[in-house]
Every structure is written in structure tokens, then in C-alpha cells.
Amino acid sequence: MSLFKRFRDLTMSNINSLIDKAEDPIKMTDQYIRDMQKDLEDAEKAVAAQIAIEKKFKALYEEQEALVKKREEQAHTAAKAQNIDLARRALEEKKNAEAKLTEYKASFEQNKASADNLRSKLEQMRKQLTEMKNKRETLVARYNAAKAQTEINKAMSGFGSDTAASGMKRMEEKMLQAEAHAEASNEMNSKEKSLDEEFENMGKDKEVEDELAALLKQYENK
């Protein structure tokens, strides 16, 4: 049936092929799921309509079956009462009911077969839709993992690049220069302080020597 054309076309292999070519597999997969859901809804309506036809012919068939039985019983009742005309009429209506019974039964069996076939296809569609939904969850996880890996690889590709390495080397050289400058500055400050201290100490030493000489001189004549 044309109703199931998309169902036949959208096989799992076709879906996988389309996903491989899609720019965004997640969005494309969601669209396929929506399409399949719509097809499933259309199929459910078609199956419901076919089942209604099946039930209609079943009811007509059973109605004529009951009428055949009823007219046969009435014919027997009329025959026992020796009512020939009534018995004849009952048998005539029984014959007409049997003809309709045969017709309705054939239609019922035919429509039941069609309904059963549609039920089977409908079940296949439901199963495939469920598989597709389950597959979407796996696809989302794999797709997000791949995106994350790509971003990490992209970040790491520049992490150890020559630009970063040369930049770091320049920073190290600047740091060494700064340290050397600081060390030289400390040395200059240290030398200046030492020289001042030497002159200061030199003056202090002369005072001590003079005082010592005066003290010794006091005791020279004793």
C-alpha cells in the first residue's frame, strides 16, 4: 500500500547512510523520528479503518448466520403444524440468508486478512520507531563525545606550539635579565655601604689608638 511507502523507504540502513551525510546528525535523526512518528499515526488510522470494515462484515456475517438458523427452526415449526405456506416462506428466506451469509463471510475473511496484514506492518513500524529512538540516545552520546574530543584536540594542537614555546623562552630570558639586574643592583649597594663603613671604622680606630697612647703615656714614668 502507498501508505507504507515511507516505511519501506526508511529502513535502518538508509537512515544510517543519511546520518553519515548530515551536517548535524542529532537534528537529522530527530527529523527522521518525527517523520516516522507521523507515518505511524497515519498507519494506525488506516489500520483502525480496516478493522472497522472487518468488524462490520463480521457483524453482517453473524447476523445472517443467526437468521439462517432462525428460519430453519421456523420452517420445522411450520411443517410440524402442517402450515405449508409458512414453512415455504421460512425456507425461502433461509435460502436468501444463506446467500448473503456466503457473501458476507467471504468479505469478512478478505478484510480480516487485510487487517491482519496491516496489523503486522504496524507492529513492524512501532518496533522500528522504538529502535530508532533507542539508537538516537547512543548517537547523541557518541556525537557529543566526538565533539568534545575534537575540541580537546584543537586546544592541545596549540598548547605545545612553537609560538607558545618561543613566547615562554622570551619570558624566561626577560626573567633572567631582571634577576641579573637585581643581583647587580644589590652588589652595587653592598659595595657602597662597605666603603662608607670602612671610612667610618677608620676614624673610629684612630680615636682608639690616640686614647690608648695617652693611657700608656700616663704609666711610662711610674
Side-chain angles (χ1 to χ4, degrees):
M1 293 180 64
S2 60
L3 176 65
F4 295 95
K5 181 178 184 300
R6 186 174 295 182
F7 167 67
R8 292 195 301 268
D9 292 342
L10 285 177
T11 61
M12 295 303 291
S13 59
N14 288 338
I15 290 174
N16 290 335
S17 177
L18 290 172
I19 288 174
D20 291 338
K21 298 177 182 178
E23 292 184 5
D24 190 330
I26 305 303
K27 291 182 179 178
M28 294 299 294
T29 302
D30 288 342
Q31 184 59 51
Y32 297 143
I33 290 176
R34 285 192 292 271
D35 291 342
M36 293 176 71
Q37 185 68 52
K38 180 63 170 59
D39 289 339
L40 181 60
E41 292 172 0
D42 292 341
E44 287 174 342
K45 292 178 182 177
V47 172
Q50 185 61 41
I51 291 175
I53 295 173
E54 172 196 346
K55 290 183 177 181
K56 174 184 176 181
F57 280 105
K58 182 180 180 181
L60 292 172
Y61 155 62
E62 292 176 345
E63 180 183 348
Q64 294 303 313
E65 188 177 44
L67 184 58
V68 168
K69 183 178 180 181
K70 180 180 180 180
R71 293 293 184 254
E72 184 176 5
E73 292 175 349
Q74 289 175 339
H76 281 282
T77 301
K80 288 181 181 179
Q82 297 298 308
N83 190 333
I84 299 175
D85 290 337
L86 189 59
R88 182 182 291 111
R89 286 175 56 194
L91 291 175
E92 288 174 350
E93 289 192 12
K94 174 192 171 186
K95 182 179 179 181
N96 291 335
E98 286 175 338
K100 290 182 180 180
L101 170 62
T102 300
E103 179 183 350
Y104 292 153
K105 184 177 182 180
S107 295
F108 162 70
E109 291 174 349
Q110 180 182 355
N111 282 279
K112 184 179 184 303
S114 296
D116 289 342
N117 184 42
L118 291 179
R119 287 188 186 98
S120 177
K121 290 183 177 181
L122 183 61
E123 186 59 32
Q124 291 176 30
M125 292 179 72
R126 286 171 175 162
K127 181 179 179 181
Q128 190 169 6
L129 180 58
T130 299
E131 290 176 356
M132 191 61 190
K133 288 180 178 179
N134 292 337
K135 187 169 185 177
R136 180 197 180 279
E137 300 306 317
T138 302
L139 180 65
V140 169
R142 291 176 59 189
Y143 183 64
N144 289 337
K147 284 175 62 179
Q149 187 63 49
T150 300
E151 292 299 322
I152 291 174
N153 291 339
K154 183 178 178 181
M156 292 185 68
S157 65
F159 190 75
S161 64
D162 293 339
T163 302
S166 60
M168 180 61 70
K169 187 175 181 180
R170 287 197 304 272
M171 293 304 102
E172 290 177 349
E173 290 174 354
K174 286 187 176 183
M175 183 62 68
L176 290 174
Q177 290 176 2
E179 290 175 347
H181 184 272
E183 186 175 349
S185 178
N186 287 335
E187 264 185 42
M188 291 298 296
N189 289 335
S190 176
K191 286 182 180 179
E192 291 176 359
K193 290 180 180 180
S194 297
L195 185 62
D196 290 339
E197 288 175 356
E198 186 174 344
F199 276 107
E200 184 179 352
N201 290 335
M202 184 179 68
K204 290 180 180 179
D205 292 342
K206 186 176 182 302
E207 291 178 359
V208 171
E209 291 297 326
D210 289 346
E211 186 177 357
L212 177 61
L215 180 62
L216 293 174
K217 189 174 181 179
Q218 292 179 13
Y219 293 98
E220 283 181 356
N221 297 325
K222 292 182 178 181

